[in-house]
Amino acid sequence: MTDLERRQDRAPVPSGWDYAPAPEARDIVTLEERYGLYIGGELVEPKSGEYFPTVSPASEEVLAEVGQAGPEDVDLAVQAARDAYDNGWSTISPAERAKYLFRIARILQERSREFAVLESLNGGKPIKESRDVDLPLAAAHFFYYAGWADKLEYAFPHRRPRPVGVAGQIIPWNFPLLMLAWKIAPALAAGNTVILKPAETTPLSALLFADVLRQAELPPGVVNIITGDGRAGAELVKHPDVDKIAFTGSTEVGKAIQRELAGTGKRLTLELGGKAANIIFDDAALDQAVEGIVNGIYFNQGHVCCAGSRLLVQESIYEPVIEKLKRRLTTLRVGDPLDKNTDVGAINSKQQLEKIEELVRSGEEEGADIYQPPCRLPEKGWWFVPTVFTNVAQSYRIAQEEIFGPVLSVLTFRTPDEAVEKANNTPYGLSAGVWTEKGSRILSMASRLEAGVVWANTYNRFDPTSPFGGYKESGFGREGGLHGLEPYLDLEDSEVRG
Ligand code: NDP
């Protein structure tokens, strides 16, 4: 017997896979007790005189108080953006604009740990996701669009790209900093100025971003950040001096914004909900597919508009897939977002938790079978156990409505045609996944699926060079890539206009 074998003989057999706590240091973030609104390059007190608390969804602890922008505040922010637009930003050399964007990108990289901790603290997402996904991607968007700022004429040949003016941007709570980057980077690269409204529950990373803007010496008023609830968003939408609105959030609010803007001539892009099909064919690499299913729906607690929330499994592999999936679910660690081992963090708000619970109850009542792995949840905060529903009919609410939580609905299919029909049987059209070893099948499925993004043998991959956006009730307009610049540019045809 060799030494190695002897040692293995004596090695204790592990009795479980518990991990020791590995908390990220919270003290890298310094929070103020109270934050004002970032208007004209300064944090100013809201004229409304109103503040509201922002909490950690993992502990319900109040982290800070944040200003509620009223109509007068929105007006001041729009004036600041207009002044900055008229008095320099739209006319400085594009290469100068690019320098600011590069600076912002580099500062985000330098301060990425601080931002990652804050993002997890205020939003509830696992630190490994904020650290490895949100922050690198946010910086990458600024780098990417910095590159385009002085090349717009090459990007749109025979056109005369000019900025649109003042952009109002409203973002949700699921990727607070990343959505900010998706919105602000292309707008600035194209020469616009911005008023951004972060979501009510996750304002802190946007307020820390204001500090990055000061550090980068961005001219005052080019970016303004107004915090507050939906009322602030609604004021921004209807302000007469805003030229363009970019919105990411629920389909319901998206529709209300579209109605409000009808006939005003303001530009609009909407990135709304989704109910994506993640389709597994019987020739797929099953273990990889199961990882893709887990990433597709449990990433960021399922608070993802493009989440693979409907799993479509080919009937012949249904049993092994479900068995592997259930086994994999037992290994997911749910808990403290700041622990580096955590896979599934806290639900973003009590209101969102109640929405998830209500939809899950409806699934049980309508007749689906529920599976939840054994899981001990923390006592304080808002949590939901990763859940799988089998025996789901297409008509059930859990197969039709966006749950926006860690809840997967499983359906089956026999043929590619049936998979396409079921995948497209939704009012949404944001994303889809296809798992198969056949390239030809990937191409044929991608062309038949009504979805803005189709991932093949992977899921939830994002890249600043790649356009993202939806069809049908998932909205219109694209963010990312060259397409993401178009909504922020007037593209005059130089040949026609001479
Ligand atoms: P909302 O659509 O209400 O919120 C998105 C953003 O719009 C927030 O900043 C919100 O402010 C703001 N807003 C709210 N009302 C108005 C209004 N009338 N005019 C202008 N802006 C407004 O989403 P919720 O946070 O309420 O989430 C509800 C559901 O929407 C989720 O359960 C999920 O299904 C879906 N959703 C989809 C997202 C996506 O990425 N597609 C993202 C977030 C949610 P405030 O935060 O104060 O409400």
Side-chain angles (χ1 to χ4, degrees):
M1 196 185 272
T2 64
D3 269 3
L4 183 64
E5 282 168 324
R6 257 195 298 277
R7 251 186 270 130
Q8 280 178 340
D9 247 8
R10 287 196 304 272
V13 179
S15 59
W17 292 105
D18 287 344
Y19 283 61
E24 176 60 276
R26 182 189 155 157
D27 56 10
I28 192 166
V29 176
T30 310
L31 289 173
E32 309 286 328
E33 268 177 38
R34 225 176 208 207
Y35 290 88
L37 311 170
Y38 187 70
I39 298 179
E42 306 275 345
L43 277 172
V44 297
E45 284 193 21
K47 298 274 181 216
S48 70
E50 273 182 61
Y51 287 86
F52 63 94
T54 183
V55 302
S56 152
S59 64
E60 300 174 47
E61 165 204 4
V62 174
L63 298 171
E65 285 207 325
V66 173
Q68 166 71 42
E72 215 184 325
D73 300 299
V74 173
D75 189 43
L76 286 174
V78 175
Q79 276 178 38
R82 177 61 63 193
D83 284 353
Y85 181 79
D86 289 341
N87 300 316
W89 187 250
S90 57
T91 49
I92 61 167
S93 91
E96 281 301 307
R97 279 205 308 267
K99 278 191 210 166
Y100 287 108
L101 289 168
F102 276 122
R103 255 189 234 169
I104 293 169
R106 282 198 302 269
I107 297 169
L108 276 180
Q109 283 186 321
E110 280 161 19
R111 299 179 66 176
S112 67
R113 194 157 153 233
E114 184 185 356
F115 269 99
V117 170
L118 185 59
E119 200 73 323
S120 287
L121 199 58
N122 199 195
K125 63 174 66 195
I127 185 74
K128 70 175 179 191
E129 290 179 9
S130 348
R131 182 194 60 197
D132 299 344
V133 181
D134 297 63
L135 260 296
L137 275 175
H141 271 81
F142 280 100
F143 276 122
Y144 174 73
Y145 281 110
W148 276 125
D150 60 351
K151 300 175 197 70
L152 296 176
E153 271 150 29
Y154 301 96
F156 302 99
H158 312 299
R159 319 285 286 275
R160 283 195 197 147
R162 281 176 308 130
V164 169
V166 171
Q169 307 181 319
I170 301 168
I171 57 171
W173 41 262
N174 51 348
F175 294 90
L177 187 74
L178 185 57
M179 288 302 105
L180 172 153
W182 279 27
K183 297 267 182 295
I184 293 183
L188 297 195
N192 303 274
T193 56
V194 163
I195 305 106
L196 178 105
K197 193 203 87 70
E200 182 183 352
T201 57
T202 52
L204 292 180
S205 54
L207 291 166
L208 187 61
F209 183 76
D211 200 43
V212 170
L213 299 176
R214 279 200 298 248
Q215 221 179 322
E217 296 175 4
L218 189 77
V222 172
V223 172
N224 305 275
I225 295 168
I226 51 163
T227 50
D229 60 21
R231 290 171 295 164
E235 286 298 330
L236 185 56
V237 167
K238 67 178 190 220
H239 196 289
D241 203 25
V242 170
D243 300 300
K244 186 219 155 31
I245 292 288
F247 173 80
T248 299
S250 62
T251 297
E252 190 193 343
V253 174
K255 284 182 180 175
I257 292 177
Q258 195 172 10
R259 278 194 294 272
E260 176 73 39
L261 293 192
T264 63
K266 284 183 200 170
R267 293 189 178 209
L268 175 64
T269 43
L270 295 175
E271 201 268 89
L272 311 174
K275 192 73 190 175
N278 202 359
I279 305 167
I280 321 289
F281 283 98
D282 60 4
D283 60 348
L286 290 197
D287 290 322
Q288 286 166 29
V290 168
E291 285 311 302
I293 297 166
V294 168
N295 176 39
I297 184 64
Y298 304 113
F299 170 65
N300 197 23
Q301 299 73 248
H303 298 332
V304 184
C305 46
C306 50
S309 53
R310 282 183 304 149
L311 177 64
L312 265 60
V313 188
Q314 196 153 18
E315 218 170 77
S316 50
I317 51 160
Y318 174 77
E319 277 164 20
V321 167
I322 297 303
E323 195 195 313
K324 280 171 190 282
L325 180 62
K326 287 182 176 173
R327 205 179 324 136
R328 179 68 175 88
L329 248 61
T330 61
T331 66
L332 289 180
R333 290 174 297 269
V334 183
D336 182 6
L338 287 184
D339 192 308
K340 291 173 210 157
N341 293 321
T342 293
D343 297 306
V344 179
I347 300 301
N348 183 265
S349 65
K350 185 159 180 278
Q351 193 189 17
Q352 186 61 26
L353 178 61
E354 285 166 0
K355 180 182 167 193
I356 297 168
E357 288 170 342
E358 195 267 316
L359 276 160
V360 166
R361 267 196 309 278
S362 83
E364 288 183 277
E365 283 162 16
E366 286 190 288
D369 298 329
I370 188 168
Y371 172 77
Q372 294 180 318
C375 181
R376 204 171 335 124
L377 298 179
E379 276 168 17
K380 285 211 111 182
W382 304 303
W383 310 92
F384 201 81
V385 180
T387 299
V388 176
F389 273 113
T390 50
N391 200 16
V392 178
Q394 288 189 80
S395 58
Y396 292 177
R397 286 180 65 202
I398 53 168
Q400 287 292 327
E401 293 180 32
E402 186 177 44
I403 301 175
F404 228 62
V407 182
L408 179 67
S409 302
V410 185
L411 300 125
T412 58
F413 67 92
R414 289 185 185 169
T415 62
D417 285 348
E418 190 186 348
V420 170
E421 205 174 303
K422 286 186 168 167
N424 289 343
N425 180 16
T426 164
Y428 296 110
L430 191 55
S431 59
V434 177
W435 297 77
T436 171
E437 66 159 19
K438 292 189 183 65
S440 56
R441 181 175 277 165
I442 292 171
L443 294 175
S444 116
M445 290 296 289
S447 63
R448 297 171 69 198
L449 290 168
E450 290 164 2
V453 179
V454 179
W455 284 292
N457 294 325
T458 187
Y459 208 90
N460 273 341
R461 290 265 165 188
F462 304 99
D463 191 287
T465 64
S466 175
F468 183 91
Y471 290 96
K472 304 196 285 189
E473 296 215 354
S474 292
F476 50 80
R478 294 291 178 266
E479 295 185 303
L482 270 184
H483 301 67
L485 284 166
E486 283 180 36
Y488 292 100
L489 288 170
D490 254 335
L491 289 169
E492 226 176 73
D493 191 326
S494 58
E495 280 162 8
V496 174
R497 306 243 172 170

